[in-house]
Amino acid sequence: MSTTEVSPVRIGKAAVAALGLLAISTGALESAVSPTLPLLQRELSLTPAEGALLSIAMLITGALLLPITGNLGDRFGGKRVMIRLMGVVVAGGLVSSLAPSLPVLLLGQVLQGAMLGAMPLSFILVRKYLSEGESSVAIGVVSGSFLAGGMLGTLIAGPIAEGLSRHWMFAIPTIGTAVATLLLHRLVPDDPPGRPDSRIDWPGLLLMSGILLTLMLVLAIVPEAGSQPIALGALVVLLGVLVAGWVAVERRSRAPMVDLRLLAQPAVWSSYAITFAVCLGTSLSMYLVPQLLAVTGDGYGFGASATDIGFYLLPGAVAAAVAGPVAGVAVRRFGSRPAVTVGVICMITALLALVFLHGEVWHLVVGKVLVALASGVCVTAVVVKTATAVSHGDTGTATSLLLVIRVVAFAAGAQVGGAFLTAGIPAGSDIPTESAFITGFVIGGAIAVLSLLTVRKLDKGVKE
């Protein structure tokens, strides 16, 4: 197929359809481990520590690869990099489906982690063939499709593993990913590179990978900072050195991985700041909801089982999946700044309500739905703003950095939430006090409030 035979609009619609299917398939593959972790621990004789490592292996790989794949997509074309990336993901899915032991399964998860790099590549493709307004909706659809796929994977992974075997819970979404990749290859022509140069900034890439890996280690050690202060201090110093080195390298490179002038644009840095604040507040507060559902305290908590908690959290997952398309339509009609402002205000309101209303299960369910919907609208709106605020040649780089910030913020929020609850356990007990949960909701809302300080910068110097 060539762009002379088919109009760009038709190509764009075909791309959205193929990318949506791909997002659903990879989302289902990404979420297969979480609901079946007890089963995997039992069948593979894993310790709790090994199970925890298995649950984060994909996240670490994704965080490391996100900026690299976005940068490569800008340099060599979104489709070209996407096809090769999905080859790695399919290989990882096959390894996971055939894995007889933990080391092999970990290898499969590491390879599958490449799927997170598909998001900025998707944004490159939809922006290449669609107008700005259509791109806003398409980005929302692709983002929502990935979340919908994650929800689907959470629902079907357990029944598939128990009804067939754990091998098929990886194999089925892997087959879907392969089919979607073939459709993308068939329906969408190669897009030209967005940048005239094709040189790769290897020093910048290596330093960025070191920064992200060190940051993940810092986040992992934060809950035990009191017992490992020297290790934490050393990692923080190393992180500072790597950041300083990366900035120095990028300033001197003739083909930098990230043009630092790009980060100085108000619409870009404000998007990053809003994303970090919103995702940190969301992750911190939403970590507390299942914990509060599970505990049985004096006048608080519900002692819910894992199955019950999954059922209670399902409406929130649906809301998160719907938020993407809703945000895309809202941005197209009203602009990014109003969509983000309304979303943040709704999120703050929901969190404040949870501070006073958490004595019934439906309070937590509704609160989770509202926060998930508001947070999803905010994040998708700033993704759209970031993608459309930069030149076509920087789309992948700018959005991949935003998605990295999103991953880091969610990881940090969960760790901070865990630290809050740990600190809130009184002597002689193993259950956090009610005030620990209340404090967490308050802090989550306060962090979200901070994002309002930069919302006005979203439109500065950029035409909507």
Side-chain angles (χ1 to χ4, degrees):
M1 179 187 297
S2 68
T3 54
T4 59
E5 297 171 342
V6 183
S7 70
V9 174
R10 290 188 62 185
I11 293 173
K13 291 180 178 179
V16 172
L19 292 170
L21 179 59
L22 188 63
I24 291 173
S25 301
T26 53
L29 184 59
E30 184 267 343
S31 63
V33 167
S34 181
T36 59
L37 190 56
L39 181 147
L40 292 171
Q41 289 177 306
R42 184 171 63 252
E43 292 196 3
L44 297 175
S45 301
L46 306 182
T47 66
E50 290 172 334
L53 177 61
L54 182 63
S55 66
I56 66 171
M58 187 185 304
L59 183 65
I60 294 174
T61 305
L64 293 175
L65 285 181
L66 262 170
I68 298 174
T69 55
N71 187 267
L72 292 179
D74 285 335
R75 293 182 183 278
F76 302 108
K79 178 191 170 182
R80 181 180 178 186
V81 178
M82 176 77 85
I83 297 299
R84 287 159 176 76
L85 190 71
M86 288 301 103
V88 174
V89 174
V90 169
L94 292 175
V95 170
S96 295
S97 65
L98 299 173
S101 61
L102 175 63
V104 180
L105 184 55
L106 277 174
L107 174 61
Q109 292 299 291
V110 167
L111 294 175
Q112 284 178 218
M115 72 175 65
L116 297 182
M119 295 295 282
L121 299 176
S122 299
F123 303 153
I124 291 174
L125 286 173
V126 299
R127 196 178 175 208
K128 189 79 69 174
Y129 296 112
L130 295 175
S131 66
E132 183 173 318
E134 292 171 326
S135 295
S136 300
V137 178
I139 289 172
V141 168
V142 173
S143 300
S145 296
F146 184 80
L147 293 174
M151 180 178 63
L152 177 64
T154 300
L155 293 175
I156 68 173
I160 290 176
E162 294 174 350
L164 298 174
S165 73
R166 62 178 172 85
H167 305 287
W168 281 104
M169 74 180 190
F170 295 112
I172 291 175
T174 298
I175 293 171
T177 301
V179 171
T181 303
L182 290 174
L183 286 175
L184 180 67
H185 177 69
R186 181 88 175 166
L187 297 176
V188 181
D190 290 333
D191 54 308
R195 295 186 185 181
D197 62 272
S198 59
R199 290 173 293 182
I200 299 176
D201 176 22
W202 289 112
L205 288 176
L206 291 175
L207 284 169
M208 173 64 81
S209 298
I211 289 170
L212 293 173
L213 183 58
T214 305
L215 183 57
M216 286 294 184
L217 292 174
V218 169
L219 294 177
I221 206 173
V222 162
E224 301 176 0
S227 61
Q228 304 183 57
I230 296 178
L232 180 60
L235 286 173
V236 171
V237 171
L238 176 60
L239 182 61
V241 171
L242 289 172
V243 170
W246 179 75
V247 171
V249 166
E250 296 302 274
R251 290 181 64 181
R252 296 175 182 175
S253 176
R254 285 184 289 179
M257 173 190 172
V258 179
D259 188 342
L260 297 181
R261 293 172 298 180
L262 176 72
L263 303 184
Q265 295 181 26
V268 175
W269 69 255
S270 61
S271 292
Y272 293 171
I274 291 168
T275 297
F276 184 78
V278 168
C279 291
L280 181 63
T282 300
S283 179
L284 167 60
S285 56
M286 291 304 95
Y287 171 83
L288 303 175
V289 170
Q291 301 295 327
L292 187 53
L293 287 169
V295 302
T296 305
D298 184 12
Y300 65 97
F302 304 95
S305 67
T307 300
D308 290 337
I309 291 173
F311 176 75
Y312 296 146
L313 297 182
L314 181 59
V318 174
V322 171
V326 169
V329 174
V331 170
R332 182 177 184 179
R333 185 167 183 178
F334 304 108
S336 296
R337 182 175 171 181
V340 173
T341 302
V342 172
V344 171
I345 291 174
C346 290
M347 179 178 168
I348 294 169
T349 302
L351 290 174
L352 290 179
L354 285 174
V355 170
F356 302 101
L357 299 173
H358 51 263
E360 301 288 342
V361 169
W362 72 266
H363 294 162
L364 299 181
V365 172
V366 173
K368 176 71 166 63
V369 168
L370 293 177
V371 172
L373 182 61
S375 173
V377 168
C378 290
V379 173
T380 304
V382 294
V383 168
V384 172
K385 167 53 68 177
T386 304
T388 56
V390 300
S391 66
H392 283 273
D394 290 317
T395 301
T397 301
T399 55
S400 65
L401 290 176
L402 187 144
L403 293 172
V404 168
I405 290 172
R406 181 180 178 179
V407 169
V408 170
F410 270 109
Q415 294 294 81
V416 173
F420 264 116
L421 293 189
T422 300
I425 298 177
S429 174
D430 57 355
I431 299 176
T433 62
E434 184 178 11
S435 63
F437 290 97
I438 292 175
T439 301
F441 290 133
V442 170
I443 297 299
I447 293 173
V449 169
L450 294 177
S451 66
L452 291 175
L453 300 177
T454 58
V455 168
R456 62 187 180 88
K457 297 288 186 180
L458 278 175
D459 294 337
K460 188 174 180 180
V462 179
K463 293 180 69 175
E464 187 66 61

